[in-house]
């Protein structure tokens, strides 16, 4: 008798979310970009202002960065075709590691092919069975996945709460290894980590500390060194992770820390040993981007001028932007369907933005995630604000329960605009704004 087995592809045939959204005319993902020109992209022959990018300093399109990528390719080829451990370690890799270590005032740096790999590789390598990884509930998916790959136990703590962290640390078994990991800037909310009390709590329990600076390099701290330097805690934080896909305008990631830790990761992290090394073009472009960032601090100053303008602009229009303190500005819409519709109308009006829905945000609190760049002009930003104001009136954004009845949320994900699926009370702590110490530590440069 033949053995019966579960059909693993049945869920694929049952999946309807994307096709339903396409049928309703507001599928917002995998939009094809045919050309890029500064702050604009060309899609379907039309120019759109890009406010969905993490290219904070505008370096992805800088001609000097592009030429450095071309020169690296001419010298070393299109790829390294192997891991750094074996045959893929080129001069540019070591130069970039040395430059980053100097920039961040760290002993050593190890490159990874992606930021996702950096978190996965480091977190899964540093802990062992019986250890605990204490993880902020709003950490990026790459951190969460890194924790799930790790043999240590994942222990979440309340977002940006040193008190919650301390309570979790107290409950860990005596003698176990403890690692506290969190974003320096949280990618959905734009919150800045309240590092001083969090690091203090970690040190009280002798926990290793690890800060993901993906969205804070080039944005916060002296010369864009990140959140750790913003708070003056470089000597207190054990490990720093960073990416090249935001302010540096490329791709890839790294871990920075003490020499012995980096040496261990070089020889034990599977995401280094068993994958091809960073492409020469990427290493060359990031080296040049790092050089420009340090030589032209006016880019960071302009980024913050634009950030302050958009914070004030959206708030004056009546939009809720949460507790953001950074160039990441989440615009609360509420209904998932309305967030998709709002994003589609922005696109039709010449603005490229992206929605974020559950599980990236809470049910019924879908957002249009915007982010602003040093290279955006005053005219760009004024135009964006004018379109948001007009669409909010057209689509009835402020009539959504997220604005009119914020104590209750729809708890069903669907692509239908009519609200026919009922509501339920939000969890007791879900409506609380994350505390990020803004009253204690100045977060936005003046």
């Amino acid at each position: 008798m033949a053995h019966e087995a579960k059909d693993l592809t049945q869920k694929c045939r049952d999946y309807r979310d994307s096709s339903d959204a396409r049928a309703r005319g507001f599928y917002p993902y995998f939009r094809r970009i045919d050309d890029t020109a500064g702050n604009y992209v060309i899609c379907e022959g039309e120019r759109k202002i890009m406010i969905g990018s993490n290219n904070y300093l505008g370096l992805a399109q800088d001609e000097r960065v592009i030429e450095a990528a071309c020169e690296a390719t001419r010298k070393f080829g299109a790829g390294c075709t192997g891991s750094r451990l074996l045959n893929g370690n080129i001069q540019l890799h070591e130069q970039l590691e040395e430059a980053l270590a100097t920039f961040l005032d760290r002993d050593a740096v190890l490159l990874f092919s992606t930021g996702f790999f950096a978190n996965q590789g480091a977190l899964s390598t540093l802990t062992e069975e019986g250890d605990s990884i204490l993880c902020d509930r709003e950490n990026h998916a790459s951190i969460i996945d890194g924790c799930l790959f790790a043999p240590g136990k994942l222990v979440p703590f309340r977002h940006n709460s040193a008190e919650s962290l301390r309570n979790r640390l107290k409950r860990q078994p005596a003698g176990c290894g403890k690692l506290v990991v969190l974003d320096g800037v949280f990618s959905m909310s734009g919150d800045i980590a309240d590092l001083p009390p969090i690091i203090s709590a970690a040190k009280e329990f002798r926990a290793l500390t690890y800060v993901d600076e993906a969205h804070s390099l080039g944005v916060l701290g002296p010369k864009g060194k990140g959140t750790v330097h913003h708070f003056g805690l470089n000597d207190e934080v054990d490990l720093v992770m960073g990416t090249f896909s935001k302010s540096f305008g490329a791709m890839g990631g790294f871990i920075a820390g003490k020499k012995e830790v980096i040496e261990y990761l070089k020889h034990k992290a599977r995401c280094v040993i068993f994958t091809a090394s960073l492409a020469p073009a990427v290493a060359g472009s990031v080296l040049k981007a790092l050089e420009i960032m340090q030589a032209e601090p006016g880019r960071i100053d302009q980024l913050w001028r634009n950030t302050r303008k958009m914070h004030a602009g959206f708030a004056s229009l009546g939009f809720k932007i949460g507790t953001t303190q950074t160039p990441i500005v989440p615009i609360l819409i509420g209904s998932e369907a309305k967030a998709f519709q709002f994003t589609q109308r922005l696109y039709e009006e010449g603005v490229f933005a992206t929605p974020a829905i559950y599980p990236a945000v809470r049910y019924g609190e879908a957002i249009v995630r915007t982010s602003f760049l040093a290279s955006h002009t005053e005219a760009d930003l004024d135009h964006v604000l004018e379109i948001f104001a007009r669409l909010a009136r057209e689509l009835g954004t402020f009539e959504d329960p997220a604005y009119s009845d914020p104590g209750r949320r729809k708890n069903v994900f669907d692509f239908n605009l009519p609200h026919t699926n009922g509501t339920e009370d939000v969890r007791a702590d879900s409506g609380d704004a994350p505390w990020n110490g803004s009253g204690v530590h100045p977060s936005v440069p003046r």
Side-chain angles (χ1 to χ4, degrees):
M1 183 171 113
H3 291 285
E4 291 187 5
K6 176 184 177 182
D7 183 354
L8 294 177
T9 64
Q10 184 60 49
K11 60 180 174 287
C12 306
R13 291 191 292 276
D14 293 340
Y15 178 69
R16 293 287 181 271
D17 289 352
S18 57
S19 59
D20 286 352
R22 288 189 183 96
R24 287 167 172 80
F26 48 79
Y27 178 72
Y29 304 124
F30 293 96
R31 295 197 192 277
R32 192 181 75 195
I33 295 172
D34 298 319
D35 200 358
T36 302
N39 305 321
Y40 300 89
V41 293
I42 308 301
C43 302
E44 302 176 273
E46 297 182 352
R47 192 173 78 156
K48 319 283 185 184
I49 300 174
M50 172 56 80
I51 61 167
S53 168
N54 298 315
N55 182 26
Y56 298 119
L57 300 180
L59 291 172
Q61 284 80 42
D62 189 286
E63 289 296 331
R64 295 165 293 179
V65 173
I66 294 169
E67 178 52 35
C70 294
E71 180 58 32
T73 301
R74 285 190 285 267
K75 183 173 182 178
F76 293 102
C80 296
T81 70
S83 71
R84 289 185 68 193
L85 183 73
L86 299 177
N87 67 299
N89 184 42
I90 62 173
Q91 180 187 43
L92 286 174
H93 293 146
E94 296 186 359
Q95 289 176 342
L96 179 54
E97 287 172 338
E98 291 169 5
L100 285 166
T102 299
F103 174 64
L104 295 171
D105 302 314
R106 292 280 168 169
D107 286 352
V109 165
L110 176 62
L111 300 180
F112 288 78
S113 299
T114 68
F116 207 105
F117 269 7
N119 276 329
Q120 182 178 316
L123 294 170
S124 62
T125 304
L126 288 170
T127 60
E128 300 175 354
E129 190 170 348
D131 295 337
S132 298
I133 308 176
L134 295 105
C135 180
D136 187 293
R137 286 186 178 276
E138 292 193 15
N139 278 342
H140 189 263
S142 61
I143 297 176
I144 304 299
D145 278 15
C147 293
L148 295 176
F149 268 94
K153 180 178 69 172
L154 173 59
V155 181
F157 63 92
R158 194 168 69 248
H159 175 53
N160 237 350
S161 171
E163 179 184 4
S164 175
L165 172 62
R166 185 173 281 105
N167 288 336
R168 299 295 189 275
L169 284 165
K170 286 178 182 176
R171 298 174 189 170
Q172 301 316 300
C176 82
K178 293 175 280 290
L179 172 64
V180 174
V181 56
L182 72 163
D183 280 308
V185 167
F186 293 88
S187 62
M188 286 294 115
S189 65
D191 292 344
I192 298 172
D194 191 26
L195 281 187
I198 287 174
I199 298 304
S200 177
K203 294 300 180 185
E204 180 183 340
F205 291 88
R206 296 186 147 186
L208 199 72
T209 51
Y210 179 117
V211 176
D212 180 328
E213 299 274 33
H215 288 274
S216 43
L217 288 174
V219 175
L220 285 176
K223 297 183 180 178
K225 291 184 179 184
T227 310
V228 169
H229 283 271
H230 170 71
F231 287 114
L233 292 172
N234 195 49
D235 292 337
E236 303 300 317
V237 174
D238 298 295
L239 290 165
V240 165
M241 175 271 181
T243 60
F244 306 136
S245 55
K246 279 69 177 177
S247 291
F248 293 108
M251 65 175 295
F254 68 88
I255 300 292
K258 292 189 180 298
K259 184 176 180 180
E260 61 268 23
V261 176
I262 299 305
E263 185 71 7
Y264 181 81
L265 291 175
K266 282 175 70 172
H267 295 88
K268 296 294 183 179
R270 294 169 67 84
C271 293
V272 171
I273 298 170
F274 296 107
T275 193
S277 58
L278 209 61
V282 173
S285 70
V286 174
L287 264 169
K288 178 56 70 173
L290 178 60
E291 176 189 317
I292 294 170
M293 188 175 82
Q294 295 178 83
E296 300 178 4
R299 287 176 179 266
I300 299 176
D301 295 338
Q302 184 59 48
L303 173 66
W304 282 102
R305 282 192 289 272
N306 289 349
T307 296
R308 289 192 291 271
K309 175 182 175 70
M310 298 312 283
H311 284 190
F314 281 120
S316 70
L317 293 174
F319 287 102
K320 293 181 179 180
I321 61 173
T323 53
T324 181
Q325 298 172 283
T326 63
I328 298 167
V329 187
I331 311 299
L332 179 65
I333 303 297
S335 155
E336 281 79 10
K338 285 185 178 179
F340 276 55
Q341 187 182 41
F342 202 109
T343 305
Q344 179 61 29
R345 291 290 291 115
L346 285 171
Y347 184 76
E348 293 166 0
E349 294 287 338
V351 177
F352 192 116
T354 55
I357 59 175
Y358 179 85
V361 295
R362 300 183 187 103
Y363 273 122
E365 296 183 3
I367 64 171
V368 173
R369 182 191 182 276
T370 69
S371 50
F372 296 93
L373 317 180
S375 51
H376 279 133
T377 66
E378 196 85 3
D380 290 336
L381 301 179
D382 287 339
H383 187 55
V384 167
L385 289 170
E386 184 275 325
I387 291 173
F388 266 85
R390 176 156 47 84
L391 291 182
R393 293 192 298 269
E394 175 188 323
L395 301 175
T397 299
F398 302 139
E399 298 166 14
D400 188 271
Y403 284 87
S404 63
D405 187 14
R408 297 173 71 81
R409 298 286 187 270
K410 273 173 61 66
N411 198 30
V412 176
F413 173 80
D414 69 89
F415 291 106
N416 296 304
L417 285 174
H419 297 292
T420 58
N421 292 298
T423 61
E424 75 170 27
D425 290 324
V426 184
R427 294 185 305 275
D429 64 345
S430 67
D432 297 337
W435 183 71
N436 51 27
S438 58
V440 182
H441 308 287
S443 302
V444 180
R446 300 295 177 187

